[in-house]
Amino acid sequence: MIVDSTPSVARSDFPQTPRRVDADVGFLDALGPAFRTENIVGSTAAYINSQPTLSEIHASPSVNVWDQIAGTEYEPYFENFLDAETMIEVGAVKARIDRENSDRRMLQEAGISGFAAQMLAGVADVPSLVPFGALAGGVRTGTTVGRLALSTAGVAGTEAATVEAVLQSQQETRTAEESAFAIGGSVILGGILGGAAGIALSRSAEGKEAFQATSKAIEAELREPAAAGADVPIRPELTDFALPTRAAERVRGLPVSGLSYTDRFAKAQSPKARQYGDALIANEYAYSGTDRLGMEPSVERVVDVENDRYQAVIAKTFREDFKTFASSGGTLSRREFSERVAAAMRRGDADPEHEAISQTAQRLRQSVVDPLKDEAIRMGKLPEDVRPTTAASYLTRMWDQNRIVARSREFQDRLSAKFSGDMSRADPTLSADEVDTYARVAAEDVFHQLVDADSPLDGMRVTVKARGPLKERTLNVADVDFEDFLINDAEFVMNRYSRIMTAEVELTRRFGRADMKDQIGEIRSEYDALRDAAKTEKDRKAIHDEGQRVIRSFEAARDMVRGTYLAKERASRPYRAMQMAMTYNYIRALGDVVRSSLPDVFKITMANGIAPVARDALLPMMRDLKGFRVSQKKAAEAAGIAEVLLNNRLMRIADITDPYARRGRAEETLSWMGSKSGLLSGMLHWNQFLKESVVYLANARMLRMAENGLATRDQRMLQRLKITSANWEKIKGQLAAHATKIDGIVDPGLEHWPADIRRIYSAALRGEADTVIVTPGIGDKMPLIEEYWFLKPAMQFKSFALASHRKTMMVGLQEDQARFIQNALLMSSMGMFVYWLKALSYDGEPSDNPGTWLAEGVDRSGVVPLVMEMNNIAESLGAPGTYYLLALMTGDDDPERASRYQVRNTSSALAGPTAGALENAAMLARGALTGEFGSGEVTAGRRLLPFGNHPGVKEFLNLWAVPEIKEAIE
């Protein structure tokens, strides 16, 4: 049952009877309604006046919203009541609807006087003075009439959009169509004030038609009821993968939207490819066939939750236990401590010298090894009677391939000796020469299997392939006898073990076997049928080529989930050198990401709405900060979110994640520096806080949806998270049985849920966190770059734009377009603030051109990242783009390019940060060799400094050290 501790003291409701409107309404009578309807100050005052106090809300009884409005004149406004939970809140919404309808009738009755009052209310609004400022500035600077018209029209439109965003959030009956007309009208008025009345008016008619069409489409889509469910068909159809809005379909259809693995599957002509692609890797599409096909959160999403949960336990255990060990007088290093833990786990979880090491081994077995082993047994990945036969207790055996290669002769000799003894006991009739020959052949066979293994999982399943008495026998050697050829870093081994087993178990649970052989066969057969049905040779070839690409991408995505993709290439020296360079780029370039990520705050309001964020998060946090933080952390743990410990988001943005990486000392040093980089930048804690907030609000929203019913945007969110109607009913039942809400703090009680529903719900929470706070996944990778891995440095950091395109823009277009537009404006405003902060850190003055500010705001907001990334690259080549055109239209004869690209050299802008680093290094080397060391060389050296962009360090270098060095050199 849902427990709500809010007192249920009765209180008289807000008045709900509409005020009478007299037939004879004059100008003065219309002023009040006009200012409440069209003016930010008047609307805000009316909204605040209509809001009940916290004490009144606490004293009011909880109600079922639908029961209060069903069959009344308020039923068409059902979505407006979804945030109301008590009788007094319902009454407040009703009162606002009544007042707003009454105001509109009064303005209509007033006729021309009402129109004049509305005009006065709009012109008297503070933001409306902005176009007049642009007009005055243009007159003073002698700007041409055409340019001035465009300037004032653009600024007026931006101002009107900002005003409408506020009014939309405060008024219950304001429609998207009204906002569209208001924005369009402001653009027209701005153009008139700029001196091009005829041109502006002629253009505005078309603009007004566009606004009408767009707003009607938005209204229709927001009000559109969900389609009735149907029986789940045996075979998927292409129509099952339709998106809920025409805008989302159009954007998905663009060529640029087909660059990723997700979109390659989503655009496949094979319905099976779409279905299995959706089940394998995460996407953000709200498919119409979610119920028909019985969709669930993807394997990738479930593996992310389970693996990160285990890896957080591993990281926390080693960190806390080593700290305890060191504080009690232990003298081992962190690496030595980990190696002693591995030795203990192979010897009955006991260390002969240190009880703390024994306790660590026991904790890891209880919290990680045994739960994963039990799940693997349940899925048939291990036999039910599995037990260690080669050690006193079980620690997954992972061979050190580098050491085996370096000491190959010794390794084979020791294996041969072991095999000789086994064969002599198995068959005493064999001669010594026969035993020696068979043993050496078997040892060589095992050696090549271990060296050629694509993943540690292959090394765990070695059998003797060579002909002879040991053929097909599992390699059964004592761990302690070959311990010097094993990986003995327990923390590293445990992380690998977690990554391997979570992926293998979930792939087997979903598809029957981890290699997905049956599903790939179905896709191939479906493409064969499509090819045979094609009418022309050209069509048959096109279908064949597409099928090859899709199957190749499918196998690649499967291997990425398992962590085995390009395993041999990843072990090569060139690939490892490339990864080191990319890690170095991350350390030197991503130090100031917290400032750049400030607009992410408004992605939370974009997903939930401003009022729900205030009610469900800010108010409970102010009432009980400690309890709120506990609930936040529980939600994050359920979703496997551990950014402070694992640094997942930054690693994925930098594209330097590799679960089975083989590392030397230099790589380990860079990896350590990378972990410190994220910590020093503050980004680890910032990401953790943002994602904790998202999953907490998702819990609150789910509980509200369970109580009050589903609006259209809620249904689309469930489709996006791959929660079917049947699973939603199960989730509702669990929320009703176990959820609690105390002083506004929500806890779904997941620890009491059945495992299957908890898995789906936790994966959905993780999906919401990684979508709202954009975290690239497998689906956001580009097949071309992954296949030709040497191109990866050129695309480093740019794949984030592709991920953000779908996770921000596509989600907004699918679910709540009005909310998307409102928060896009807020994000753009925050983007302008980030631009100002960045300018200060470089000792530069922000531009005084409003067009540049607008372009910077949109660019840094992350609303249309893919578009702006391509625009910035084009502008760096000298082509006119958004910055150039907006600045030119607002009076700048020498427009600046994007500030994000001004600090990059040409190589970095075009070919990625590694090429930029090489260019900077070449410049430094040339200066050192020639003795000509000037300001350019100083700038190049500045760009190469590790940690050079971290807060404090960046300001020290840019504002003092670099200018002083340049001045001294000159």
Side-chain angles (χ1 to χ4, degrees), residues 14 186 319 461 745 783 801:
F14 275 70
S186 295
R319 186 179 65 179
R461 299 168 173 169
I745 298 175

Side-chain angles (χ1 to χ4, degrees), residues 761-835:
Y761 188 82
S762 296
L765 290 180
R766 177 61 175 266
E768 186 71 355
D770 286 352
T771 297
V772 176
I773 308 304
V774 178
T775 304
I778 293 173
D780 301 306
K781 296 178 181 291
M782 290 181 280
L784 176 66
I785 303 302
E786 294 303 315
E787 291 175 17
Y788 300 97
W789 55 265
F790 49 83
L791 297 176
K792 289 170 74 73
M795 295 301 297
Q796 190 178 15
F797 307 139
K798 290 183 172 63
S799 61
F800 178 74
L802 189 63
S804 189
H805 161 74
R806 186 166 50 251
K807 296 177 188 291
T808 300
M809 186 175 181
M810 286 298 294
V811 171
L813 293 177
Q814 288 180 126
E815 293 182 16
D816 193 330
Q817 295 179 352
R819 180 183 288 172
F820 171 71
I821 294 170
Q822 294 167 12
N823 284 276
L825 293 170
L826 294 174
M827 290 169 66
S828 297
S829 300
M830 183 60 76
M832 295 181 193
F833 177 63
V834 171
Y835 164 61

Side-chain angles (χ1 to χ4, degrees), residues 536-834:
T536 68
E537 182 178 339
K538 180 180 179 181
D539 289 343
R540 285 192 291 272
K541 186 178 186 308
I543 292 172
H544 174 77
D545 291 344
E546 179 189 306
Q548 294 297 308
R549 288 194 301 271
V550 168
I551 291 172
R552 191 167 59 247
S553 296
F554 204 92
E555 291 171 339
R558 174 206 60 196
D559 290 345
M560 288 180 196
V561 171
R562 301 178 80 183
T564 61
Y565 185 62
L566 296 180
K568 290 185 175 62
E569 290 82 354
R570 289 172 182 266
S572 66
R573 290 184 183 276
Y575 193 99
R576 293 167 64 184
M578 179 194 73
Q579 285 283 291
M580 290 177 66
M582 294 172 71
T583 303
Y584 171 67
N585 293 334
Y586 158 64
I587 295 168
R588 69 183 179 86
L590 290 189
D592 199 25
V593 281
V594 170
R595 267 186 285 207
S596 300
S597 298
L598 290 177
D600 285 352
V601 172
F602 290 111
K603 291 181 181 177
I604 298 177
T605 61
M606 181 182 289
N608 297 278
I610 297 174
V613 169
R615 184 194 61 242
D616 295 334
L618 297 180
L619 292 180
M621 183 171 61
M622 289 187 288
R623 285 196 293 262
D624 182 3
L625 179 60
K626 184 178 180 180
F628 178 79
R629 289 295 295 148
V630 169
S631 185
Q632 256 191 328
K633 290 182 181 299
K634 282 186 66 177
E637 289 174 5
I641 294 170
E643 291 290 338
V644 174
L645 290 171
L646 306 180
N647 194 14
N648 269 329
R649 189 185 182 213
L650 273 181
M651 293 294 100
R652 294 189 184 188
I653 290 174
D655 198 17
I656 52 177
T657 56
D658 189 351
Y660 299 148
R662 302 174 187 174
R663 295 174 178 170
R665 291 294 180 183
E667 292 159 296
E668 288 184 351
T669 300
L670 273 175
S671 179
W672 177 83
M673 291 173 66
S675 66
K676 297 304 178 186
S677 175
L679 185 65
L680 294 174
S681 70
M683 195 62 179
L684 301 190
H685 291 86
W686 177 246
N687 285 336
Q688 183 74 20
F689 170 75
L690 290 176
K691 289 192 175 185
E692 285 179 353
S693 300
V694 171
V695 293
Y696 175 84
L697 285 164
N699 275 331
R701 181 176 179 180
M702 292 283 192
L703 182 58
R704 192 165 60 252
M705 288 158 54
E707 292 174 334
N708 298 337
L710 301 177
T712 300
R713 61 172 175 261
D714 299 326
Q715 293 169 344
R716 292 174 181 174
M717 184 193 78
L718 293 179
Q719 288 177 327
R720 171 171 58 82
L721 297 176
K722 307 302 183 287
I723 296 177
T724 62
S725 297
N727 283 332
W728 173 241
E729 290 302 317
K730 295 177 183 178
I731 289 171
K732 282 174 60 178
Q734 295 303 315
L735 289 171
H738 303 297
T740 60
K741 185 176 181 182
I742 302 174
D743 289 334
I745 298 175
V746 173
D747 180 1
L750 286 174
E751 62 272 19
H752 305 297
W753 291 28
D756 57 337
I757 300 301
R758 184 173 65 246
R759 183 185 65 253
I760 291 173
Y761 188 82
S762 296
L765 290 180
R766 177 61 175 266
E768 186 71 355
D770 286 352
T771 297
V772 176
I773 308 304
V774 178
T775 304
I778 293 173
D780 301 306
K781 296 178 181 291
M782 290 181 280
L784 176 66
I785 303 302
E786 294 303 315
E787 291 175 17
Y788 300 97
W789 55 265
F790 49 83
L791 297 176
K792 289 170 74 73
M795 295 301 297
Q796 190 178 15
F797 307 139
K798 290 183 172 63
S799 61
F800 178 74
L802 189 63
S804 189
H805 161 74
R806 186 166 50 251
K807 296 177 188 291
T808 300
M809 186 175 181
M810 286 298 294
V811 171
L813 293 177
Q814 288 180 126
E815 293 182 16
D816 193 330
Q817 295 179 352
R819 180 183 288 172
F820 171 71
I821 294 170
Q822 294 167 12
N823 284 276
L825 293 170
L826 294 174
M827 290 169 66
S828 297
S829 300
M830 183 60 76
M832 295 181 193
F833 177 63
V834 171

Side-chain angles (χ1 to χ4, degrees), residues 798-955:
K798 290 183 172 63
S799 61
F800 178 74
L802 189 63
S804 189
H805 161 74
R806 186 166 50 251
K807 296 177 188 291
T808 300
M809 186 175 181
M810 286 298 294
V811 171
L813 293 177
Q814 288 180 126
E815 293 182 16
D816 193 330
Q817 295 179 352
R819 180 183 288 172
F820 171 71
I821 294 170
Q822 294 167 12
N823 284 276
L825 293 170
L826 294 174
M827 290 169 66
S828 297
S829 300
M830 183 60 76
M832 295 181 193
F833 177 63
V834 171
Y835 164 61
W836 177 73
L837 288 177
K838 295 276 188 175
L840 293 183
S841 69
Y842 280 100
D843 194 24
E845 287 293 331
S847 172
D848 58 359
N849 187 293
T852 299
W853 277 80
L854 182 59
E856 288 283 355
V858 173
D859 189 6
R860 294 181 179 277
S861 69
V863 176
V864 285
L866 197 57
V867 174
M868 294 307 298
E869 190 69 28
M870 295 185 337
N871 170 85
N872 295 342
I873 294 174
E875 287 196 358
S876 68
L877 293 173
T882 304
Y883 280 85
Y884 180 86
L885 295 176
L886 284 175
L888 198 65
M889 287 190 299
T890 49
D892 194 339
D893 294 326
D894 185 23
E896 299 176 354
R897 64 176 182 172
S899 62
R900 290 197 300 119
Y901 273 65
Q902 288 178 8
V903 296
R904 305 180 191 181
N905 55 30
T906 304
S907 297
S908 181
L910 299 181
T914 300
L918 292 174
E919 181 182 336
N920 289 325
M923 182 178 291
L924 277 177
R926 185 172 58 249
L929 291 173
T930 62
E932 298 177 359
F933 207 85
S935 61
E937 284 71 21
V938 174
T939 300
R942 157 72 183 88
R943 289 171 176 166
L944 291 173
L945 286 177
F947 304 101
N949 274 332
H950 283 66
V953 178
K954 180 178 183 178
E955 284 74 16

Side-chain angles (χ1 to χ4, degrees), residues 12-35:
S12 60
D13 202 351
F14 275 70
Q16 299 177 20
T17 305
R19 292 175 296 170
R20 183 176 62 85
V21 179
D22 295 326
D24 187 15
V25 180
F27 176 79
L28 295 178
D29 298 316
L31 279 178
F35 272 78

